[in-house]
Amino acid sequence: MAKFVKCFSLSLFLLIILSTTTLFAAFDSAKFNKQNGAIKVIGITPSGADVPVAREIVIHFNRPVVPVGRMERSPAEVPVNIGPPLACDWRWLNTASLACQLSEKDAMTPATTYTVKIRPGLKAEDGAVMKEGVTHTFSTERPRVTDKSFAAWKSAGHPLILVNFNQPVTKSSVEAHLYFHTENGRRIALKALEDADYKKKKKKKGSRKVKLPPHDGHYWFVEPGEEFPLDAGIELKVEPGIVPQKGTNPGSEERVIVAFATFPHFSFMGVKCMNNMDREILLRPGQEPRLGDLCNPLDAISLLFSAPVINREIKDHVRFTPDLAGGRKDYDPWENAGDYSRLSEPHVKGNDYPNQLPEMLRANKTYAISIPAGKLRDEFGRPLPGQVKMTFATDHRKPNYAFDHHFSVLEKKVDSELPIVVTNLAQINVKYAAMTGKGKVTKGEELLAVAPALDISYPMPLKVREMLKAPSGIVTGEIVTAPPLPGKTADDRWFVSQITPFNVQVKVGHFNTLVWVTDFSTGLPVAGAQIDIFKGKPRELPAKAKALHKGVTDADGIALLPGAEKLDPALKLLGYGEANVPKLTIRCRKGDDIALVPLIDDFSANYYGSEEEYIEAYLQKQYEHIHTWGATAQGIYKVGDTVQFKLYVRNQDNRAFVPPPLSGYALQVIDPMGKVVHEVKKLTLSTFGAYDGEFPLPKNGAVGWYRFVLKASFK
């Protein structure tokens, strides 16, 4: 049996240690508390520049200064000055750390330099005095840009960009220190707008709604003071000098916020698609087609434009011959295509904008595109100049097949078939092995003629009943096509099909496995069926598989076998896994009939009801049903006390608790600081499944909850 480790945390088995003299043991060790000598400051937090706005300043001393007791202090009792002034609530966090704590409304101001001056004269309980004063400075974070997005375009050369800052900043400094930089080196001033100003502007087609909180200076819409030339590279930059609305320190960042390009003149660029060799092709208007310039009719085909176009424009103004509806009346192929803007991202010079056609096109067909002059418009409202006429053609569909039933069950005495959907194949050859209910195995090949139906996908039978040549049994096979399909690997071509009269349902539990067999045709239970479980690869015939456990169905069609605890204690043969690795399978036989249920994901069933009714099938490893609990002689202990405890361990079966393994345990008691204060490396339970012991608490023990962790390692 595999070895594993299970940890148990005894949540009911906890201790609180309370003592006036050791209340802060977690902070001040006994060694630290004995330190004496002159008082010195060893650190002040926060420190440095551009620190996040906080609500606490902490001064750390090299030794204890105050005794444990009243930790709050009035400003008059604290020899510290802070400038600019802060409304501090002074408190000793421990005997050597003094904190200025601020309420939410009195928090530090951003973009501000603070000076903390600690005057000499601070006196410790033992009379030691701080002889030298200390001055400490730090500054809170200055203004900086945190995000940007394109809110709208007033025209192809006039963007409106939303810029976010880490704190409220002034409009005048945004206009002075944010600017546009053109590819020829010009600096273009910008205008900063509040959202209220933006909403008053007439929104152009293609702009998007921007939902923002009330304007407080955290964000600004910026736009150039003049129209940019078309198809030009532009940068939005920030330089030092952004002024905060609160605080005095201006921003210092100097960088490019976003690089983009203005849009070129509006033009139709052609048709983009993939050919049957999976190579992307671009067909230009007026371009002579080349060898291989045929579109795969089952792949995406798009119209390309130099600027974004919404689908409604194409629906209204682009004509296809033959039409995209395929001759179907009262059918709108664009109905579910949807309209959406593509102006919320920066434009990159040279980018084109595809609009994918909403339908797969007919194979081996020439399509004509017609766009009248001045009708179709881009998202800026610019009309397409000149008339467009061009043609493109689709290729034949690539030879292929679709097969979704690697595992299948066909009912005995029912005229059903295992289907495979074929497209432009010449023939299918199935290499198979078949096993009847009596265990007879035959091998062979079945050559299936494919009807000549050019560019039409249709289902045809694999004829597994003819391969089996018996009323009930199992067929495994591999599909080989002509022409060969390089995209189909051996993992795509296999199948396992069984013909059976039995409906077999299996519930694998931890302690037993229930198998229920009914008849497909009548729904009645099948009594006297031989049930066994074996290990084998689900993709192979179980002709020589040896039964691990056996059973027989009763009058209700039910048989019980051992559960996962004995069949697969480490859960390596159940559940997830490939069909070509050994797994457990249930086999049902009666007379000449047989049925298999591989215990793998393909055959698993989960219940999906409402959110509260979801039931997932899952198993636990052996001994993962063990329960533990315990108690101590009392609930609260002082340092130095002896803790007496007793713990209980129980396994369980389907109905009640049962005795657990008596050996293979280890116990640790862990204090609130994560330190092991008591350990039993080899623990053996009594015949009653219990263990008792005791240990002393350290005299300098930490305050809080103590955890008892019981580890188990069984072989």
Side-chain angles (χ1 to χ4, degrees):
M1 184 177 296
K3 176 182 178 181
F4 76 97
V5 176
K6 176 71 186 283
C7 294
F8 308 95
S9 180
L10 307 187
S11 58
L12 298 179
F13 196 29
L14 304 173
L15 308 176
I16 302 177
I17 304 177
L18 298 177
S19 171
T20 302
T21 59
T22 62
L23 183 60
F24 293 95
F27 303 102
D28 300 325
S29 68
K31 182 178 180 180
F32 182 80
N33 283 329
K34 292 179 181 178
Q35 292 188 20
N36 51 29
I39 300 174
K40 295 181 180 180
V41 175
I42 59 174
I44 300 176
T45 56
S47 64
D50 287 312
V51 301
V53 172
R55 291 170 52 191
E56 187 174 72
I57 299 174
V58 181
I59 305 168
H60 303 278
F61 296 93
N62 65 327
R63 50 153 292 169
V65 179
V66 296
V68 175
R70 183 178 67 89
M71 309 307 285
E72 297 82 7
R73 294 291 187 271
S74 67
E77 297 176 273
V78 177
V80 180
N81 296 103
I82 299 176
L86 292 172
C88 294
D89 287 329
W90 289 101
R91 178 182 181 85
W92 287 92
L93 301 180
N94 53 58
T95 60
S97 298
L98 177 62
C100 161
Q101 297 179 332
L102 304 168
S103 65
E104 185 174 356
K105 67 180 181 64
D106 294 324
M108 299 176 195
T109 303
T112 300
T113 298
Y114 286 94
T115 301
V116 181
K117 292 184 177 180
I118 307 170
R119 302 188 301 274
L122 182 67
K123 183 179 292 187
E125 184 183 17
D126 61 2
V129 177
M130 180 176 171
K131 297 180 179 180
E132 297 181 0
V134 174
T135 299
H136 171 80
T137 62
F138 66 92
S139 58
T140 51
E141 53 186 350
R142 292 168 287 184
R144 58 183 172 83
V145 176
T146 58
D147 198 10
K148 87 291 176 187
S149 61
F150 282 73
W153 288 75
K154 294 184 177 182
S155 69
H158 195 121
L160 186 64
I161 302 175
L162 175 64
V163 181
N164 297 87
F165 296 86
N166 65 335
Q167 57 188 277
V169 298
T170 65
K171 177 180 180 179
S172 59
S173 70
V174 170
E175 293 181 333
H177 299 292
L178 258 64
Y179 62 94
F180 291 101
H181 186 262
T182 66
E183 59 188 2
N184 59 8
R186 289 185 63 210
R187 175 175 174 137
I188 306 295
L190 55 75
K191 298 177 182 178
L193 308 172
E194 295 184 6
D195 53 332
D197 296 330
Y198 165 61
K199 291 173 183 176
K200 293 175 183 177
K201 302 285 184 181
K202 183 179 179 181
K203 296 186 71 177
K204 299 290 185 180
K205 184 183 294 185
S207 63
R208 64 189 182 96
K209 294 180 179 179
V210 180
K211 294 183 178 180
L212 294 166
H215 191 271
D216 64 354
H218 266 94
Y219 60 87
W220 293 92
F221 293 94
V222 300
E223 63 177 347
E226 62 184 67
E227 187 89 359
F228 292 131
L230 297 183
D231 202 23
I234 309 291
E235 292 177 334
L236 175 61
K237 304 182 77 173
V238 61
E239 65 184 4
I242 300 295
V243 176
Q245 292 189 10
K246 296 180 179 180
T248 58
N249 297 340
S252 62
E253 65 175 341
E254 186 170 13
R255 65 181 179 91
V256 176
I257 297 173
V258 61
F260 62 98
T262 55
F263 289 85
H265 291 285
F266 183 38
S267 63
F268 174 67
M269 304 178 67
V271 175
K272 183 171 70 173
C273 63
M274 304 293 291
N275 66 10
N276 278 359
M277 302 300 293
D278 293 327
R279 177 174 63 86
E280 185 179 276
I281 59 176
L282 175 59
L283 306 171
R284 303 282 187 182
Q287 173 184 307
E288 289 295 326
R290 299 165 298 179
L291 184 65
D293 282 355
L294 296 176
C295 294
N296 180 348
L298 298 182
D299 212 325
I301 300 176
S302 301
L303 304 184
L304 281 189
F305 298 92
S306 62
V309 177
I310 60 175
N311 287 326
R312 183 174 62 253
E313 288 286 320
I314 298 175
K315 171 187 174 181
D316 292 343
H317 302 298
V318 181
R319 297 292 173 261
F320 296 86
T321 306
D323 62 51
L324 299 183
R328 291 168 288 182
K329 295 182 179 180
D330 301 323
Y331 173 70
D332 179 9
W334 293 96
E335 181 178 3
N336 297 316
D339 287 328
Y340 58 94
S341 173
R342 285 176 283 179
L343 296 180
S344 60
E345 295 296 329
H347 172 67
V348 178
K349 186 178 288 192
N351 270 14
D352 49 43
Y353 292 85
N355 288 72
Q356 183 176 325
L357 301 183
E359 294 284 330
M360 298 299 178
L361 301 188
R362 296 167 64 181
N364 190 31
K365 202 75 176 176
T366 298
Y367 282 83
I369 298 175
S370 175
I371 308 176
K375 295 294 184 182
L376 185 141
R377 296 175 180 270
D378 66 7
E379 288 198 45
F380 304 109
R382 299 180 298 175
L384 187 66
Q387 186 181 29
V388 173
K389 285 186 178 293
M390 75 167 289
T391 60
F392 69 96
T394 57
D395 205 340
H396 291 288
R397 293 184 178 183
K398 293 194 293 186
N400 201 2
Y401 70 81
F403 183 69
D404 299 325
H405 306 285
H406 289 298
F407 288 104
S408 61
V409 178
L410 302 179
E411 185 177 346
K412 180 182 177 182
K413 296 181 181 180
V414 172
D415 188 16
S416 57
E417 296 285 356
L418 177 61
I420 181 171
V421 179
V422 299
T423 305
N424 290 349
L425 292 179
Q427 65 180 28
I428 293 177
N429 186 28
V430 181
K431 300 178 181 180
Y432 70 89
M435 185 184 78
T436 67
K438 293 183 177 181
K440 180 182 178 182
V441 176
T442 58
K443 296 184 179 181
E445 294 187 18
E446 186 78 17
L447 189 62
L448 306 177
V450 180
L454 189 62
D455 295 324
I456 295 177
S457 299
Y458 69 94
M460 59 174 286
L462 270 184
K463 299 184 178 180
V464 294
R465 294 180 187 272
E466 286 84 342
M467 299 174 197
L468 181 61
K469 300 180 180 63
S472 180
I474 317 295
V475 178
T476 64
E478 181 183 7
I479 299 168
V480 181
T481 64
L485 303 178
K488 302 288 188 182
T489 66
D491 287 333
D492 301 314
R493 299 195 301 262
W494 65 273
F495 69 90
V496 178
S497 186
Q498 54 182 301
I499 302 170
T500 179
F502 302 137
N503 177 26
V504 183
Q505 300 182 52
V506 182
K507 182 182 182 297
V508 181
H510 186 75
F511 299 104
N512 57 39
T513 297
L514 184 147
V515 182
W516 184 33
V517 184
T518 57
D519 186 88
F520 269 130
S521 60
T522 65
L524 298 176
V526 177
Q530 302 294 316
I531 306 297
D532 66 71
I533 188 166
F534 65 88
K535 183 174 74 172
K537 297 179 180 180
R539 281 168 55 172
E540 296 180 357
L541 292 178
K544 298 181 180 180
K546 296 182 179 180
L548 302 177
H549 297 276
K550 297 180 180 180
V552 179
T553 58
D554 59 17
D556 295 319
I558 293 175
L560 289 178
L561 298 175
E565 182 187 35
K566 289 186 172 59
L567 295 174
D568 187 19
L571 298 184
K572 294 182 178 179
L573 302 174
L574 292 164
Y576 294 101
E578 299 176 2
N580 202 31
V581 297
K583 293 290 179 179
L584 295 179
T585 298
I586 297 292
R587 178 167 45 195
C588 171
R589 289 178 289 189
K590 184 175 183 180
D592 295 340
D593 297 320
I594 187 173
L596 300 179
V597 182
L599 302 182
I600 59 176
D601 291 343
D602 300 77
F603 288 81
S604 67
N606 295 319
Y607 173 69
Y608 296 89
S610 66
E611 184 176 349
E612 294 79 14
E613 294 175 332
Y614 171 68
I615 299 175
E616 182 181 6
Y618 69 95
L619 292 168
Q620 291 179 289
K621 295 180 180 179
Q622 187 181 33
Y623 299 121
E624 288 192 345
H625 293 84
I626 283 181
H627 299 264
T628 61
W629 68 96
T632 54
Q634 61 192 59
I636 299 176
Y637 289 83
K638 296 184 298 182
V639 294
D641 285 353
T642 297
V643 179
Q644 297 174 321
F645 66 90
K646 188 167 187 176
L647 59 86
Y648 302 87
V649 182
R650 292 291 184 273
N651 201 355
Q652 71 174 78
D653 61 16
N654 275 351
R655 294 178 175 83
F657 283 167
V658 296
L662 298 183
S663 61
Y665 301 94
L667 174 67
Q668 288 183 333
V669 182
I670 303 172
D671 73 8
M673 306 303 293
K675 180 182 177 182
V676 177
V677 297
H678 179 64
E679 184 172 17
V680 182
K681 293 184 177 180
K682 292 184 179 181
L683 185 152
T684 301
L685 302 176
S686 68
T687 55
F688 187 70
Y691 178 84
D692 61 84
E694 62 180 37
F695 65 93
L697 287 173
K699 293 185 178 180
N700 60 344
V703 178
W705 296 91
Y706 281 56
R707 294 183 299 121
F708 284 62
V709 178
L710 185 66
K711 298 181 180 180
S713 178
F714 307 122
K715 295 183 180 180

